[in-house]
Amino acid sequence: MDLDVLNMFVIAGGTLAIPILAFVASFLLWPSALIRIYYWYWRRALGMQVRYANYDDYQFCYSYRGRPGYRPSILMLHGFSAHKDMWLSIVKFLPKNLHLVCVDMPGHEGTTRSDLDDYSISGQAKRIHQFVECIKLNRRPFHLVGTSMGGNVAGVYAAQYPEDICSLTLICPAGLPSTTDSKFIKQLRELQESKRIDRIPLIPSTPEEMADMLKLCSYVRFKVPQQILQGLVDVRIPHNDFYRKLFLEIVDEKSRHSLHENMSKIKAPTQVIWGKQDQVLDVSGANVLASAIPDCHVYILENCGHSVVVERPRKTANLILEFLALLHSIDNNKK
């Protein structure tokens, strides 16, 4: 073989080897860094831009796509210990001309975390209202979406600031009493009885606990490599003390049934989406909402757990779009 040709193959091979080795090293040694890169790439691919908004000395971090138009803007509130990027799987199936806003909830990810802050559900709703005013999202009524803890906050927000929103989607929301104990509630009771409340199943500290949490939250059994589990844990561990404090705050009597206490005040058309096999918050909560909110549309998803956004993103996106289209059609008929 000609020496120049051989050199060309050596150089080409070396050039390809560098990114491959970098990827392998990241996967084996710094899986948490790989996870952050993954979210960064996905945001860019979907056209989501990250911005910050300040209310006095308080900073909110959020991502957005599109601009306000004739259709309502959509604000999305994530669940406990998650972040704004959890909505990317839904964003993928939403039209690019919709104005979408995904905010980090108080104390989460890029939003300010303060020991002096009120992390009760009502306190979080007040903070989200400040964020809405910061970015002037309520110039026109918007559609509010919330899941789990974020669903609790979204429902309370709808009750306390009804002029801000035109419609509401609650996905497996917390804050409701249940006639049937979920697997998670049973686990909490056992931990309380054994005085091991520090071992909260939703706050993993090892890859094994992370795998158990994923099984608890999902009906679909995802095969997650050990290194990715380790990366997910590594990302969360620095925040676990805060998550424990937050968890105790939102299960306290002041917040535990916040949505239930406020649902009679919800006047906006409401959509409820729930996984039938939810092991964290029992699906019977959907009937509680349907019986109390006048204009309530309930959708129960078969073969789906608590992580509806991850397990059924396309279906969830389609349900939200169909709900908004239905409301638009009703409005037009009234005119």
Side-chain angles (χ1 to χ4, degrees), residues 106-108 113 119 238-247:
H108 290 73
R113 178 179 300 172
Y119 291 106
H239 309 287
N240 276 356
D241 286 343
F242 166 72
Y243 293 152
R244 289 188 188 94
K245 176 185 175 182
L246 174 63
F247 183 83

Side-chain angles (χ1 to χ4, degrees), residues 18 32-34 70 98 106 120 139 160 177 262 269 275 291 296 303 313 316:
I18 291 171
S32 60
L34 196 62
Y70 73 93
L98 267 181
S120 68
R139 283 179 175 175
Q160 294 183 352
N262 283 272
S291 63
C296 188
N303 302 322
T316 305

Side-chain angles (χ1 to χ4, degrees), residues 158 162 165-168 265-271 293-296 323:
I165 72 166
C166 59
S167 46
L168 176 69
K265 301 175 187 175
I266 298 174
K267 305 304 178 186
T270 301
Q271 175 186 52
I293 301 174
D295 193 3
C296 188
F323 181 58

Side-chain angles (χ1 to χ4, degrees), residues 157-309:
Y157 188 103
Q160 294 183 352
Y161 307 100
E163 67 283 354
D164 280 4
I165 72 166
C166 59
S167 46
L168 176 69
T169 294
L170 303 177
I171 304 172
C172 304
L176 297 169
S178 176
T179 54
T180 305
D181 284 347
S182 66
K183 180 179 179 180
F184 173 63
I185 297 300
K186 290 177 181 177
Q187 288 179 344
L188 282 184
R189 287 216 174 97
E190 290 172 2
L191 289 170
Q192 285 177 328
E193 290 171 3
S194 62
K195 296 182 179 179
R196 297 175 63 196
I197 195 62
D198 58 310
R199 300 291 297 276
I200 300 166
L202 297 180
I203 308 178
S205 299
T206 67
E208 292 72 26
E209 290 176 358
M210 173 59 71
D212 289 341
M213 188 189 82
L214 294 178
K215 289 177 184 176
L216 177 67
C217 293
S218 302
Y219 174 80
V220 177
R221 292 292 175 255
F222 298 103
K223 293 182 180 179
V224 184
Q226 183 74 9
Q227 288 297 323
I228 295 298
L229 289 172
Q230 183 64 60
L232 292 169
V233 169
D234 289 346
V235 169
R236 294 172 64 100
I237 281 178
H239 309 287
N240 276 356
D241 286 343
F242 166 72
Y243 293 152
R244 289 188 188 94
K245 176 185 175 182
L246 174 63
F247 183 83
L248 294 176
E249 186 78 41
I250 61 178
V251 299
D252 184 73
E253 288 185 9
K254 182 180 177 182
S255 294
R256 188 181 306 162
H257 297 145
S258 290
L259 178 54
H260 185 255
E261 292 162 2
N262 283 272
M263 61 186 182
S264 62
K265 301 175 187 175
I266 298 174
K267 305 304 178 186
T270 301
Q271 175 186 52
V272 176
I273 304 173
W274 217 303
K276 188 173 183 178
Q277 285 75 28
D278 191 339
Q279 298 183 99
V280 178
L281 299 170
D282 192 75
V283 68
S284 60
N287 293 327
V288 174
L289 291 167
S291 63
I293 301 174
D295 193 3
C296 188
H297 304 248
V298 175
Y299 303 88
I300 306 300
L301 303 185
E302 295 282 351
N303 302 322
C304 184
H306 187 66
S307 301
V308 171
V309 174

Side-chain angles (χ1 to χ4, degrees), residues 47-63:
M48 297 292 287
Q49 299 183 56
V50 175
R51 292 290 184 272
Y52 295 88
N54 293 291
Y55 184 92
D56 294 332
D57 59 347
Y58 196 90
Q59 177 179 268
F60 297 95
C61 180
Y62 67 102
S63 60

